[in-house]
Amino acid sequence: IVMTQSPATLSVSPGEGATLSCRASQNLSSHLAWYQQKPGQAPSLLIYGASTRAPGVPARFCGSGSGTDFTLTISSLQSGDSAIYYCQQYNNWPPITFGQGTRLDIK
Amino acid sequence: EVQLVESGGDLVQPGGSLRVSCVGSGFTFSNYAMTWVRQAPGKGLEWVSTISGSGDEPFYADSVQGRFTIARDNSQNTLFLQMNSLRAEDTALYFCARVPLDTDNSGWTFDLWGQGTLVTVSS
């Protein structure tokens, strides 16, 4: 299953919102996760089941979608949200596959 | 503290072998499936291999099938990745990651990550 994320890069001002997209080449039902990777750090799980926030993830992060089209919406952006965001499918594996990532810059 | 700590990364010549390790602490290691994910310099994430908690069910990406072997020693809370016939394209930061206990709910996702160990394949 090929995962395609868009846009590749997104630049947003603090306080604004951002919408990140992830499209799968096959139906995933809701078996999709989102990760955040800050510079120099390991990824961290944000969302699983397409829309369920992982423990400790702020409500500003909202996942939606099912089937082949998914969205990660982040509201009230802060400088600390600057990161690369990856989607990951686990509907039909192996292999588990990731999208190529969306770089989010807050400036 | 709940954590994963990788080690063993090194500079290796093409065709060579290397074993990297990951020690888990702060949780019951044997209850969890574990995974290796790698990230080439400046690139995205690539799933490499997953192993069940008992160690009897390994899964591999096509890119490493037949060259890499995942294993675990639950008595030592340690995950391994034995890498043989290494290629330049295997150069990456290798992360170990934990699969949540309740995969029916959380799915085959990765809820705890180490900081990675760097493997460089070059002559």
Side-chain angles (χ1 to χ4, degrees):
Chain A
I1 299 177
V2 178
M3 307 299 294
T4 303
Q5 293 186 241
S6 61
T9 304
L10 188 58
S11 184
V12 184
S13 299
E16 295 185 342
T19 300
L20 287 63
S21 296
C22 176
R23 175 164 290 179
S25 61
Q26 299 178 24
N27 185 355
L28 303 182
S29 182
S30 61
H31 298 145
L32 183 106
W34 290 94
Y35 297 83
Q36 177 192 65
Q37 186 177 31
K38 296 182 180 181
Q41 297 185 18
S44 63
L45 179 64
L46 290 174
I47 302 285
Y48 61 88
S51 61
T52 303
R53 281 184 295 276
V57 174
R60 300 187 296 108
F61 292 84
C62 181
S64 62
S66 65
T68 60
D69 291 300
F70 301 86
T71 300
L72 176 66
T73 303
I74 313 171
S75 61
S76 303
L77 283 161
Q78 306 169 2
S79 59
D81 296 329
S82 290
I84 299 176
Y85 292 83
Y86 294 95
C87 60
Q88 174 229 325
Q89 71 82 19
Y90 52 93
N91 184 64
N92 185 12
W93 75 281
I96 286 170
T97 49
F98 292 89
Q100 80 278 20
T102 291
R103 180 185 301 275
L104 178 61
D105 293 326
I106 314 300
K107 41 175 119 172
Chain B
E1 181 184 1
V2 177
Q3 63 177 357
L4 297 168
V5 179
E6 302 94 335
S7 62
D10 205 347
L11 171 63
V12 186
Q13 291 192 340
S17 298
L18 188 68
R19 187 179 80 163
V20 294
S21 304
C22 168
V23 177
S25 59
F27 62 99
T28 305
F29 186 78
S30 60
N31 285 351
Y32 293 82
M34 297 294 295
T35 288
W36 289 100
V37 174
R38 69 184 179 183
Q39 187 169 37
K43 302 298 183 182
L45 303 172
E46 180 187 14
W47 172 77
V48 174
S49 182
T50 294
I51 190 168
S52 61
S54 63
D56 59 359
E57 289 186 279
F59 303 92
Y60 299 97
D62 286 347
S63 58
V64 306
Q65 179 79 50
R67 300 188 300 122
F68 290 12
T69 302
I70 191 171
R72 63 192 298 161
D73 181 347
N74 287 338
S75 69
Q76 298 295 317
N77 293 342
T78 304
L79 175 72
F80 302 101
L81 186 67
Q82 175 68 44
M83 300 180 287
N84 298 331
S85 302
L86 282 161
R87 306 166 180 167
E89 55 264 36
D90 296 318
T91 294
L93 187 62
Y94 284 73
F95 295 102
C96 70
R98 186 181 75 176
V99 176
L101 202 55
D102 182 12
T103 54
D104 288 343
N105 179 39
S106 302
W108 289 87
T109 60
F110 313 122
D111 66 350
L112 178 68
W113 296 67
Q115 286 304 303
T117 188
L118 182 62
V119 174
T120 303
V121 184
S122 175
S123 55

